Amino acid sequence: MSRAVRLTVAASVAAIVALVIGMIAGGRAFPRIIPGLPDSGVVVRWGLPLSKLLMDAAGVVTVGLLLMAALLLPNDKGVLGKSALDYVKAASWAALVWAGSAFLAIVFGVAESIGRTVPQILERTILTSYATQTTQGVALTLVVLFGVAIALFSRGAITAGAAAGLLVFALVTLLPAPLTGHTSSSPNHDLATSSVSLHLLSLALWVGGLGVLALHALRKQPQLDVVATRFSRMALWCYAGVGLSGLFALVARLGAISDLWTSEYGLLALAKIVAFVLLGYVGYWHRQRTLADLRAGKPRAFTRLAGGETLLMFATVGVAVALSRTPPPEYSIPADRAFELLGFPLPPPLTLSGIFAMWWFDLFFAVVAAALAGLYGAGMVRLLRRGDRWSWGRTAAWYIGVALLVFSTQSGLARYAKVMFDIHMIEHMTLSMVVPIFLVLGGPVTLALRALKPASRRGDRGPREWITTILNSRFTKVVTHPLVATAIFVTSTYALYFTPLFESAMNEHLGHIWMTLHFLISGSLFFWVIIGVDPGPHRLPYVWRLLMLFVTMPFHAFFGIALMMMGGVIASGWYEQLGRTWGDTLLQTQRDGGAIAWGFGEIPTLLVLLAIAVQWYKDDDRQARRADRRADRTGAGDPELDSYNDYLARLNRADKGE
């Protein structure tokens, strides 16, 4: 038996043993059976967590294999090498296992939900109903479908771009199933949903990457030192993401600190924390000692440590599955429908001081804002240390945009936006028409291209090469075409509010995140085409930019007028459940929101006109200076100006009769 196979078997055993111990400690292994009530039996009791363990492990392995192929292994001008192609093919098989285990989880989930054994529920109508009508069933069905799609597309992937796209697809596939368990029923479900999402993504990249890295070392594949160094840089960020998100997930589920040692859920969480700390120590040892040995041509120490860390990681996955099967401790929450929907009590009557005082922590957009501010600052510092200059005007624009993003998503404005349509419209317009203007004027892509160094290996892709590849990709050329960017910016607003999409997005935290992200991305795309300072596939003349602006903005005015003229309430089911008794009626707040949409467009229009005027003036000035330098260098002037001067001289001579 090869060492790679032994490591795979050992990791599987470690995960199963950790799951069994966790199930016993959490009281789920031998539950109390009440006579007279239906019981699905021991096969279902253990089959469901084991199938979910296999599903999680297969998903993590799929992510690790695609990560290795797309980002960790060097490639030749975007074409995958032999080792990378082998990993992509292996990812195809892992994705099939992922889909198959998700199907088993559906079968065992049906049996557990109705208290029947597996043979008793093997009927098409029962399975179909569970898979299409229950939240957990739909989530598992998505995993089956996405897993099969990843398996099929992996067969033909030969470029790093294709492997990277499949990696993103695999990361998205990880999310549906866990986000429909205890997370969705947590009192602070907004924080729980965001923290679990970040936790899963960080953990999958970390565990999957390390597991495949250990296999790469055991199989004595080439370029181990390069792969290990790249993974080590990424693992530090993953470790921080896992730690912070895990802390916030516990805060969202526990009613008190004492629940950590007085409940089965808390004890399992403590076991996971201990494993996390051990992994951090092993990672520190790995960075300090084994990477140096590896670069010195001594791979044995690295192989042993990576193998041990892989076993500990997969044991942690087993504990995590047991934790997901253990209900969190119960604690009293207000018997309030608004609290159940919002995750916080209905705010008091709207006041200006309340908007500035009632801050609400949104983990997802806090991470987004911190990443935007931190990465931009790091790029500036790198340029300044190198002796290069960067525009303070662009810097000011960028951080104004980040500050407005924080205010729109973390202040009392975000709280009231979930309760009142007119405040929601202020948030919408700010995120789609004000924040993007300042962000695109910051020139983040230009800063990144100047701050990042080219890949150390010729033909390989580092962060700088990936940015260049994305800028020149067919997808970017399509979405940044002026007609496409304008269509996305305009039509998506009508499609959101005049269909059931808006109410669906308000009812689910993930839907609300996607809606807010869409506001930000669609606005950034539109204004990037008009006033963006970064290099792009399409550079419009300034006259066309003005025309594009004046043609687009009236559509928002028409949208506002349509809202003011409507006789019915948009998303009435959502707002009526909140039970707001203060302020204007639902229809009046909707009409006020329409008025805001109608008049708000003047602010971004003025900002964009000022930006275009300044850019136009600077562009003419640059062209004039460029012409002067060319004239000084060649000794020749501007041909058009010289021709015009000759024409005037001829007229002067004709007047004198010469």
Side-chain angles (χ1 to χ4, degrees):
M1 183 184 295
S2 67
R3 290 188 297 173
V5 174
R6 287 201 298 268
L7 176 62
T8 303
V9 173
S12 303
V13 172
I16 293 173
V17 170
L19 171 64
V20 172
I21 295 174
M23 290 278 291
I24 295 174
R28 302 293 295 177
F30 307 106
R32 181 184 176 187
I33 306 300
I34 301 177
L37 293 181
D39 176 40
S40 54
V42 67
V43 174
V44 174
R45 190 178 310 133
W46 286 98
L48 182 57
L50 285 173
S51 62
K52 288 190 174 182
L53 174 61
L54 179 60
M55 182 180 71
D56 292 344
V60 166
V61 170
T62 303
V63 168
L65 291 167
L66 293 172
L67 174 67
M68 177 69 77
L71 302 178
L72 299 183
L73 277 171
N75 55 75
D76 185 13
K77 297 180 180 180
V79 179
L80 299 177
K82 182 180 182 305
S83 297
L85 288 173
D86 291 340
Y87 286 125
V88 172
K89 292 179 181 178
S92 175
W93 293 107
L96 281 179
V97 175
W98 193 2
S101 56
F103 178 77
L104 288 177
I106 292 176
V107 174
F108 289 123
V110 173
E112 184 188 57
S113 63
I114 63 177
R116 296 288 187 268
T117 61
V118 172
Q120 292 174 334
I121 57 93
L122 289 181
E123 183 181 340
R124 189 183 65 176
T125 56
I126 298 178
L127 291 175
T128 303
S129 298
Y130 180 84
T132 58
Q133 298 179 14
T134 65
T135 305
Q136 185 70 12
V138 170
L140 292 173
T141 302
L142 290 176
V143 176
V144 173
L145 297 176
F146 292 171
V148 172
I150 293 171
L152 294 176
F153 288 121
S154 296
R155 294 289 180 177
I158 61 173
T159 64
L166 290 169
L167 172 61
V168 174
F169 196 11
L171 291 172
V172 172
T173 308
L174 287 171
L175 297 177
L179 295 182
T180 55
H182 300 314
T183 300
S184 60
S185 59
S186 174
N188 194 347
H189 46 75
D190 287 9
L191 180 59
T193 300
S194 297
S195 58
V196 168
S197 300
L198 178 60
H199 193 74
L200 287 171
L201 298 179
S202 302
L203 193 65
L205 291 169
W206 186 24
V207 177
L210 181 67
V212 178
L213 176 61
L215 289 175
H216 193 79
L218 290 174
R219 295 173 60 223
K220 297 181 179 180
Q221 293 294 303
Q223 301 172 321
L224 177 60
D225 56 336
V226 177
V227 173
T229 302
R230 291 182 177 181
F231 175 77
S232 180
R233 295 171 187 157
M234 186 197 73
L236 179 62
W237 292 102
C238 290
Y239 185 81
V242 169
L244 288 175
S245 58
L247 175 63
F248 287 121
L250 275 179
V251 169
R253 290 183 175 88
L254 300 182
I257 296 295
S258 59
D259 289 335
L260 278 174
W261 54 84
T262 59
S263 65
E264 291 87 355
Y265 187 91
L267 292 174
L268 285 176
L270 280 176
K272 192 176 176 183
I273 291 172
V274 171
F276 175 76
V277 173
L278 289 176
L279 285 169
Y281 175 75
V282 173
Y284 172 78
W285 185 272
H286 165 74
R287 290 177 65 88
Q288 295 296 316
R289 299 291 182 88
T290 60
L291 283 181
D293 291 340
L294 186 60
R295 285 190 288 267
K298 302 175 183 178
R300 292 180 61 84
F302 170 82
T303 303
R304 289 195 300 269
L305 187 64
E309 192 176 359
T310 301
L311 295 180
L312 183 58
M313 278 189 169
F314 275 86
T316 306
V317 173
V319 174
V321 173
L323 191 65
S324 69
R325 297 287 299 158
T326 305
E330 297 182 358
Y331 57 93
S332 60
I333 59 175
D336 182 14
R337 180 58 176 163
F339 187 91
E340 294 177 8
L341 294 172
L342 300 172
F344 53 83
L346 191 72
L350 176 65
T351 60
L352 185 62
S353 60
I355 290 178
F356 286 92
M358 298 179 60
W359 287 78
W360 174 254
F361 181 67
D362 187 312
L363 176 62
F364 180 85
F365 286 102
V367 171
V368 171
L372 293 177
L375 292 174
Y376 198 93
M380 283 184 56
V381 169
R382 178 172 290 187
L383 284 183
L384 293 175
R385 286 179 177 176
R386 204 165 60 197
D388 293 340
R389 299 176 57 188
W390 181 252
S391 169
W392 291 106
R394 293 184 181 182
T395 304
W398 179 263
Y399 282 104
I400 289 173
V402 173
L404 289 173
L405 173 63
V406 171
F407 181 77
S408 300
T409 57
Q410 311 288 323
S411 70
L413 182 69
R415 285 205 190 201
Y416 284 104
K418 292 186 176 182
V419 178
M420 304 180 69
F421 187 86
D422 49 356
I423 306 301
H424 164 81
M425 193 55 61
I426 294 176
E427 182 190 45
H428 172 181
M429 293 298 167
T430 303
L431 289 170
S432 65
M433 301 178 69
V434 179
V435 174
I437 292 176
F438 290 101
L439 292 182
V440 300
L441 288 176
V445 178
T446 303
L447 175 61
L449 292 175
R450 289 184 58 186
L452 292 171
K453 298 179 180 178
S456 56
R457 293 170 175 262
R458 186 176 180 83
D460 194 12
R461 281 185 182 175
R464 193 177 190 276
E465 287 74 21
W466 274 109
I467 293 175
T468 305
T469 301
I470 293 172
L471 283 176
N472 295 324
S473 66
R474 185 177 303 173
F475 174 80
T476 302
K477 291 179 181 179
V478 171
V479 297
T480 59
H481 190 280
L483 293 179
V484 176
T486 302
I488 294 173
F489 185 62
V490 172
T491 60
S492 59
T493 300
Y494 289 84
L496 174 66
Y497 291 100
F498 296 145
T499 66
L501 286 176
F502 177 64
E503 185 168 0
S504 300
M506 296 297 286
N507 274 290
E508 297 290 340
H509 181 57
L510 283 180
H512 189 267
I513 287 178
W514 282 115
M515 178 176 64
T516 308
L517 270 180
H518 174 75
F519 294 156
L520 190 62
I521 294 173
S522 62
S524 299
L525 184 65
F526 175 74
F527 290 110
W528 191 56
V529 174
I530 295 182
I531 58 172
V533 297
D534 292 322
H538 307 283
R539 304 296 297 180
L540 288 177
Y542 290 100
V543 174
W544 283 100
R545 299 184 189 189
L546 290 172
L547 180 62
M548 184 175 172
L549 175 67
F550 288 126
V551 167
T552 303
M553 286 306 170
F555 284 98
H556 284 275
F558 299 153
F559 167 72
I561 294 173
L563 286 179
M564 289 189 288
M565 295 178 63
M566 288 184 65
V569 177
I570 297 175
S572 58
W574 164 260
Y575 291 111
E576 289 171 356
Q577 291 182 83
L578 297 178
R580 177 173 60 84
T581 57
W582 46 263
D584 293 327
T585 63
L586 297 180
L587 187 58
Q588 183 58 45
T589 58
Q590 180 173 299
R591 289 172 176 169
D592 292 341
I596 291 170
W598 180 28
F600 199 95
E602 296 180 3
I603 299 174
T605 300
L606 178 61
L607 293 174
V608 173
L609 284 175
L610 289 174
I612 292 177
V614 172
Q615 291 175 356
W616 201 342
Y617 170 77
K618 289 185 175 180
D619 185 61
D620 287 344
D621 187 54
R622 281 193 299 268
Q623 291 184 16
R625 291 199 304 269
R626 190 179 300 117
D628 292 340
R629 287 194 300 269
R630 183 171 61 248
D632 294 339
R633 186 171 56 252
T634 62
D638 187 346
E640 294 183 0
L641 182 60
D642 293 341
S643 176
Y644 182 67
N645 289 333
D646 291 340
Y647 172 71
L648 292 179
R650 287 196 301 272
L651 288 179
N652 188 37
R653 287 194 298 269
D655 291 339
K656 293 180 179 180
E658 296 179 1

